[in-house]
Amino acid sequence: MSLYDVVHRRRDTRAEFTGAEIPPEVLRRVLTAAHAAPSVGLSQPWDFVLVRDESIRRAFRDHVHAERSVFSAQLDSERAEVFSRIKVEGVLESSLGVVVTYDPDRGSPAVLGRHAIADAGLYSVCLAIQNLWLAATEEGLGVGWVSFYREDVLRRLLDIPTRVRPVAWLCMGPVRSLPDTPDLERHGWRNRMPLEDVVHYDTFGRRN
């Protein structure tokens, strides 16, 4: 696939995982791509925790389900009905959990480029995640970003130091296929906005 094919083929994967093992050389290529991401001050503030242990994954899955219930209780009946059809995780179905973390002390005390924008390090971690996701798509793997969790719960579950922030639990592994349409569009939760709705010229709000 070309780069543009990969960008548009990428999906947030939930139900399509086969559970098959990721070949070690493929996993290394994907992680190497993630580690090649640009970072503020070349701080490389990310770490990748590879979660294979089933008991840990099951405990995390149970926490995600509890948070799903919390969110569902906040919805009106119509949105709750739509949400009930949406799968929000593939923690046990996927081959591997990849937890990506942010260490703000990496490269400190003088992180070049972070003095005016404190979140620049966090943005760097997100770039690493995107690199991982695109590389995994090129390798025929699916990735699903799980966001229904509390950071302190995940920190305790994986013995993550207090100063380190868990940014993402990524479900990753071989898939039967990647859906043509993202799940949230397919289930009617939201539709993708046209590019023209988000492009501005010179000043915010100016459309031409």
Side-chain angles (χ1 to χ4, degrees):
M1 291 187 285
S2 73
L3 173 61
Y4 289 104
D5 289 334
V6 172
V7 167
H8 291 288
R9 193 74 188 104
R10 181 213 61 81
R11 290 288 177 269
D12 200 356
T13 309
R14 305 288 185 231
E16 294 79 16
F17 291 110
T18 67
E21 184 178 352
I22 303 171
E25 65 276 12
V26 172
L27 178 59
R28 183 168 183 83
R29 284 198 297 268
V30 170
L31 293 176
T32 298
H35 191 53
S39 61
V40 63
L42 198 58
S43 56
Q44 299 172 284
W46 47 70
D47 285 279
F48 307 99
V49 183
L50 308 183
V51 186
R52 298 167 294 183
D53 185 276
E54 185 174 350
S55 63
I56 295 175
R57 293 167 69 181
R58 192 171 297 279
F60 180 67
R61 190 279 312 269
D62 292 346
H63 171 60
V64 170
H65 282 195
E67 288 300 322
R68 177 194 175 103
S69 297
V70 170
F71 178 70
S72 182
Q74 300 171 3
L75 302 174
D76 62 38
S77 59
E78 182 178 345
R79 293 302 268 174
E81 196 281 325
V82 175
F83 180 61
S84 70
R85 302 193 299 267
I86 298 173
K87 185 173 175 60
V88 300
E89 53 80 27
V91 175
L92 297 182
E93 297 89 338
S94 59
S95 310
L96 183 69
V98 182
V99 176
V100 188
T101 63
Y102 168 50
D103 184 352
D105 292 343
R106 186 79 51 80
S108 292
V111 178
L112 190 155
R114 201 179 68 182
H115 75 286
I117 303 176
D119 287 337
L122 185 60
Y123 304 156
S124 301
V125 173
C126 292
L127 291 172
I129 292 170
Q130 179 74 334
N131 268 21
L132 181 151
W133 211 326
L134 296 178
T137 302
E138 170 64 21
E139 295 284 357
L141 303 176
V143 175
W145 187 329
V146 183
S147 56
F148 280 76
Y149 68 88
R150 304 291 175 171
E151 291 185 15
D152 59 333
V153 173
L154 185 52
R155 184 179 284 110
R156 290 195 302 270
L157 189 62
L158 301 183
D159 293 328
I160 297 171
T162 303
R163 75 176 191 283
V164 175
R165 182 176 182 182
V167 177
W169 178 300
L170 305 175
C171 303
M172 186 166 74
V175 290
R176 291 183 295 276
S177 63
L178 291 175
D180 292 329
T181 305
D183 279 357
L184 297 188
E185 288 188 72
R186 183 163 55 87
H187 288 295
W189 184 261
R190 290 205 61 167
N191 292 318
R192 190 176 299 277
M193 297 169 64
L195 175 62
E196 292 72 21
D197 287 0
V198 297
V199 176
H200 310 254
Y201 294 90
D202 296 320
T203 57
F204 195 92
R206 183 175 174 180
R207 298 300 184 181
N208 54 47

